[in-house]
Amino acid sequence: MSESFTDEQYAFLRHARFGELPPAVRPDERTASTETDPPRYQPDPAPGRYEQDLRAGG
């Protein structure tokens, strides 16, 4: 038989596991960010690489 918890019990278990959430950031405390460099996980292909891949069948 499966035991079911109440919403209050689930709330207590969440609090026991994760603690309290930090206070919410107010809109006037937020800042805008702008990406200045390309992402490191997508390097630019070398010149002619696309054509080399086509010729190699890759």
Side-chain angles (χ1 to χ4, degrees):
M1 182 160 102
S2 171
E3 184 177 337
S4 181
F5 293 109
T6 65
D7 289 343
E8 292 81 18
Q9 290 171 326
Y10 277 124
F12 171 77
L13 293 172
R14 275 193 304 276
H15 185 275
R17 181 171 181 188
F18 299 110
E20 300 220 6
L21 291 174
V25 178
R26 297 187 327 229
D28 60 331
E29 294 175 339
R30 297 178 187 166
T31 59
S33 64
T34 304
E35 291 291 332
T36 57
D37 295 327
R40 293 180 187 217
Y41 56 87
Q42 294 178 342
D44 291 332
R49 181 69 189 176
Y50 178 73
E51 290 81 9
Q52 291 174 6
D53 287 342
L54 283 178
R55 282 194 294 266

